[in-house]
Amino acid sequence: MDAELQDRADRRLEERIRDEGISDPRVVCRGHLKELRARDPDAYERAVERYRTSLVPGVAQGSDDAVDLWLEYAAGLTEQLEEGRTVAIDATGRAGPLEGRWNRKDLVVHLPMNRSAPALLVAAPAELSRAQTATRGLLVEGKQQMEAPSE
């Protein structure tokens, strides 16, 4: 892959992360790719190829919003890991289908059809609301209790 193209894509994404106050989607995707490589090496190779031929050039060229392209990529990875549906969770904890452009204040998780599998994180704002923190803890991390706020 062209290093200049990769650098341009990274800079563009980092600008959007800073401007929009969201968590870095690359961190989430790295974890999903690691899991995918362990479970299904062929699917992993296809995901890496999509990254090289579609995601990086799309972000670098600026044809679409860098964050939305990464969100689409992350959601695709979660679907490869577990068939299910992706939902957006607002600051009050209310979940709904992810439709259109991602509201940057919403927590986005993938809910597997296999109910024994944990939800998979897709994207998150830099700061979660209390309800989003509880939702993430329960669905993604499997925590049964919220931690007491630090004083």
Side-chain angles (χ1 to χ4, degrees), residues 35-46 80-81:
E35 181 68 25
L36 190 58
R37 180 174 42 198
R39 287 190 198 182
D40 186 345
D42 291 335
Y44 168 79
E45 289 301 326
R46 289 190 302 275
Q80 284 184 282
L81 287 167

Side-chain angles (χ1 to χ4, degrees), residues 7-22 24 26 59 65-67:
D7 288 344
R8 196 167 49 235
D10 286 344
R11 279 193 312 273
R12 217 168 150 252
L13 176 62
E14 288 160 7
E15 287 172 9
R16 302 306 307 160
I17 289 169
R18 184 182 58 250
D19 293 348
E20 296 186 24
I22 60 167
D24 190 336
R26 296 172 293 192
V59 171
D65 186 291
V67 173

Side-chain angles (χ1 to χ4, degrees), residues 23 89 91 105-108 121 123-134 136-137 141:
S23 296
I89 301 163
K105 293 182 181 181
D106 288 349
L107 172 67
V108 181
L121 181 62
E127 293 187 31
L128 297 174
S129 70
R130 186 167 169 82
Q132 289 168 328
T133 299
R136 180 179 177 168
E141 300 163 5

Side-chain angles (χ1 to χ4, degrees), residues 11-123:
R11 279 193 312 273
R12 217 168 150 252
L13 176 62
E14 288 160 7
E15 287 172 9
R16 302 306 307 160
I17 289 169
R18 184 182 58 250
D19 293 348
E20 296 186 24
I22 60 167
S23 296
D24 190 336
R26 296 172 293 192
V27 175
V28 170
C29 289
R30 284 184 198 115
H32 294 328
L33 283 166
K34 183 177 179 181
E35 181 68 25
L36 190 58
R37 180 174 42 198
R39 287 190 198 182
D40 186 345
D42 291 335
Y44 168 79
E45 289 301 326
R46 289 190 302 275
V48 170
E49 185 65 18
R50 263 194 332 275
Y51 170 84
R52 289 183 184 134
T53 61
S54 181
L55 179 61
V56 170
V59 171
Q61 293 169 0
S63 56
D64 290 314
D65 186 291
V67 173
D68 288 332
L69 291 173
W70 270 96
L71 176 72
E72 183 180 316
Y73 183 71
L77 291 175
T78 60
E79 187 64 35
Q80 284 184 282
L81 287 167
E82 294 286 343
E83 185 179 345
R85 64 188 175 100
T86 301
V87 299
I89 301 163
D90 70 16
T92 68
R94 173 170 256 127
L98 180 64
E99 298 175 336
R101 190 171 187 271
W102 170 40
N103 177 341
R104 305 305 198 242
K105 293 182 181 181
D106 288 349
L107 172 67
V108 181
V109 298
H110 182 77
L111 303 174
M113 290 188 69
N114 173 2
R115 295 198 184 260
S116 66
L120 300 168
L121 181 62
V122 176

